[in-house]
Amino acid sequence: MTESSFDAEQAFLAWLSARDNHESVGRDDFRKDLDQEGRQEFDKLADDFLTLRARVGASQPDLQTGREIGRYRLIQELGSGAVGMVWEARDTRLGRHVALNLLYPHLAISDRAVQRFHQEARATAKLSHSSLVTLWSSGQTDNLHYLAQELVGDGRTLADVILERQEADTIPPDHWREMASHLAAIAEGVAHAHQHGVLHRDIKPGNILFDPSNTPRLTDFGLAKVADQDLSLTGEVVGTPFYMSPEQTRASVDASKTGTDIFSLGSVMYECLCLQRPFQGDSFETVAYAIQHKHPRRPTQISAQCPKDLESICLKALQKNPADRYVSAHALALDLMRFLQGEPVMAPPVSFTARLWRRTRRTLSSLGFVTYAPFWKRPTPDNSSDLPQAAAALLQDENWAALQKWADDLLDAGFYREAKVLHRLLLSQSPNSRRNR
């Protein structure tokens, strides 16, 4: 899937959701920000949808309380979206209440859409963990495809909790420990899935529900990959952009490894700690670029109350290189438990040298200084002794604008001593300074 196709699909889903909510909207409101390829893709999706809808009928089936679908009797609708709806239902055979997920009939014409819908059943059939929502059964009746899942609480999610904290005047004093506890539980659930050959690939706050005892439960394995079975096309990007790993945004083979879920856990953890996403953007392209090339601000820079050990754990999970992340979701959970128990964590703090190197390299790269690559022979924080050489190279070429930009960026990042050194170099060496002597 290309970036234009991805943006077109997201715009189409937004248009479809607006139609489901009975809003009076035209296509142009949703396709105006797409490029030409994206607009063509959007129109094709919309045309196909209207054709299928005309053949099958309304996008939502005629459902009402009391109707029976298989062995499940509908009680009340809990929610709906672009793909289907969720009802609370009663299992007439076992007498328990379930969350019944129903696929819209017009989508059932697409074999791939049906396979994707039932992928969750295949993914979770072998899983049983207290941090994962249990799937009871799946099937089809009266042209309705359904999944019967464990009914978890009232549908409150981690996304709801984050929104409440964002709107509150103050953060509760136990916020950090509470989030660490929730994330440790979810990480253990993810580790259980990995042990059984299942990758989630869409971990995000909206997919983490809370049961009546306030225990977090991970749900929605609809994009999961089971062992060597995968419904995604070659080169197709799957997942929710803001929580994708770098390898997911590139549709790399590494996206089918456990490290991609660990990065997503790190993104969720960052949002829990900072109450904002680590990577922002208004299109897939800008978000993907940020995930691949940019480093988020340290949580302690956003909130001074954030424990530094949690910051270290979070930033280790968010490493661009999968090999630099935790070796497993279980290892991530263990480090969170060490924090909760007051023990030293395994994640090393991000050193000053590493932060300085990262910021400096990004600044020089943005200014196009490819010619100075020889001064950075080993692109690691350990090569901090080469930093003065890079400054000397800029001085030798009298590139005053570059030095000024570098100094300003260092100052913005909080590296006051280094910025001061560069400013002194500018004052002593720049032509304006010499003329004023």
Side-chain angles (χ1 to χ4, degrees):
M1 176 181 287
T2 65
E3 293 169 1
S4 292
S5 296
F6 186 91
D7 290 339
E9 183 173 310
Q10 297 305 303
F12 168 71
L13 292 176
W15 173 74
L16 190 62
S17 179
R19 286 176 58 90
D20 289 341
N21 292 331
H22 307 290
E23 298 175 13
S24 178
V25 292
R27 294 188 187 186
D28 289 343
D29 293 332
F30 295 86
R31 65 197 290 276
K32 61 184 179 183
D33 295 327
L34 302 174
D35 59 22
Q36 183 176 356
E37 180 186 348
R39 287 194 293 271
Q40 291 174 347
E41 181 71 17
F42 178 94
D43 287 337
K44 185 179 184 303
L45 289 169
D47 290 342
D48 289 348
F49 163 76
L50 294 174
T51 300
L52 293 174
R53 191 171 187 267
R55 289 173 56 187
V56 180
S59 63
Q60 295 189 10
D62 181 20
L63 300 176
Q64 56 186 347
T65 300
R67 176 175 172 178
E68 292 194 2
I69 299 174
R71 71 195 211 202
Y72 301 101
R73 183 177 295 121
L74 300 182
I75 298 175
Q76 62 176 336
E77 184 179 348
L78 299 177
S80 63
V83 176
M85 59 180 65
V86 183
W87 277 72
E88 179 182 353
R90 184 176 182 274
D91 186 333
T92 56
R93 186 182 303 172
L94 300 177
R96 64 187 173 197
H97 286 219
V98 302
L100 197 65
N101 292 263
L102 301 169
L103 180 69
Y104 289 144
H106 68 272
L107 295 178
I109 290 180
S110 167
D111 291 338
R112 192 158 175 265
V114 172
Q115 290 176 339
R116 269 277 174 88
F117 182 74
H118 288 288
Q119 172 76 347
E120 184 158 5
R122 290 187 289 273
T124 58
K126 58 179 75 173
L127 305 180
S128 177
H129 193 276
S130 59
S131 295
L132 304 178
V133 173
T134 303
L135 181 77
W136 301 123
S137 68
S138 64
Q140 175 189 3
T141 181
D142 299 331
N143 199 37
L144 284 173
H145 293 264
Y146 66 85
L147 301 175
Q149 293 180 314
E150 177 185 7
L151 184 64
V152 180
D154 57 1
R156 187 166 178 261
T157 68
L158 181 58
D160 296 322
V161 175
I162 291 172
L163 181 60
E164 291 168 5
R165 301 283 164 88
Q166 288 172 337
E167 296 175 345
D169 294 331
T170 58
I171 298 177
D174 63 343
H175 170 80
W176 317 106
R177 293 187 62 81
E178 178 189 3
M179 292 298 108
S181 177
H182 291 332
L183 290 162
I186 293 299
E188 284 290 14
V190 172
H192 173 80
H194 289 174
Q195 289 166 4
H196 289 80
V198 177
L199 303 181
H200 191 283
R201 300 198 298 184
D202 196 23
I203 300 171
K204 57 185 178 181
N207 282 341
I208 298 174
L209 297 165
F210 287 100
D211 65 18
S213 65
N214 204 39
T215 299
R217 313 284 293 280
L218 182 62
T219 186
D220 197 353
F221 280 76
L223 294 180
K225 182 180 184 297
V226 185
D228 295 324
Q229 304 171 20
D230 192 359
L231 291 175
S232 55
L233 302 175
T234 302
E236 181 181 17
V237 177
V238 294
T240 301
F242 294 110
Y243 306 96
M244 285 182 179
S245 65
E247 54 270 27
Q248 266 181 299
T249 64
R250 294 188 296 264
S252 161
V253 291
D254 285 337
S256 296
K257 299 180 180 178
T258 57
T260 198
D261 278 348
I262 293 171
F263 188 94
S264 296
L265 284 168
S267 294
V268 171
M269 182 174 179
Y270 187 98
E271 190 168 352
C272 288
L273 299 179
C274 304
L275 302 182
Q276 65 184 47
R277 293 168 178 155
F279 306 103
Q280 304 288 340
D282 54 7
S283 69
F284 172 78
E285 182 179 12
T286 55
V287 174
Y289 181 86
I291 291 172
Q292 293 172 16
H293 302 290
K294 294 186 177 181
H295 293 272
R297 293 177 63 197
R298 288 179 291 128
T300 52
Q301 287 181 317
I302 297 172
S303 175
Q305 290 81 21
C306 177
K308 289 189 176 181
D309 280 349
L310 286 184
E311 174 184 83
S312 299
I313 294 171
C314 177
L315 295 182
K316 181 172 177 61
L318 283 175
Q319 289 297 303
K320 306 295 185 189
N321 184 353
D324 294 332
R325 299 172 203 157
Y326 285 96
V327 294
S328 67
H330 179 63
L332 169 58
L334 286 178
D335 231 6
L336 287 166
M337 291 306 298
R338 290 187 187 97
F339 165 79
L340 291 169
Q341 294 167 3
E343 300 174 0
V345 301
M346 300 300 292
V350 182
S351 68
F352 168 81
T353 303
R355 297 198 307 271
L356 178 59
W357 164 265
R358 192 167 63 197
R359 184 77 184 191
T360 302
R361 186 173 57 178
R362 184 165 69 246
T363 301
L364 287 175
S365 175
S366 68
L367 292 169
F369 294 118
V370 240
T371 56
Y372 303 114
F375 292 107
W376 309 81
K377 295 178 181 177
R378 290 186 296 115
T380 64
D382 295 334
N383 204 24
S384 56
S385 59
D386 287 340
L387 292 176
Q389 290 184 339
L394 294 176
L395 283 169
Q396 184 177 357
D397 285 2
E398 298 188 347
N399 201 328
W400 315 118
L403 272 171
Q404 182 65 57
K405 179 70 167 60
W406 188 4
D408 291 344
D409 281 350
L410 288 172
L411 187 63
D412 291 341
F415 303 133
Y416 304 111
R417 185 175 58 184
E418 289 68 25
K420 189 174 181 181
V421 169
L422 286 182
H423 277 300
R424 283 179 176 172
L425 283 172
L426 280 164
L427 287 173
S428 63
Q429 300 295 327
S430 68
N432 288 339
S433 173
R434 292 170 185 163
R435 282 196 296 269
N436 294 332
R437 285 180 183 174

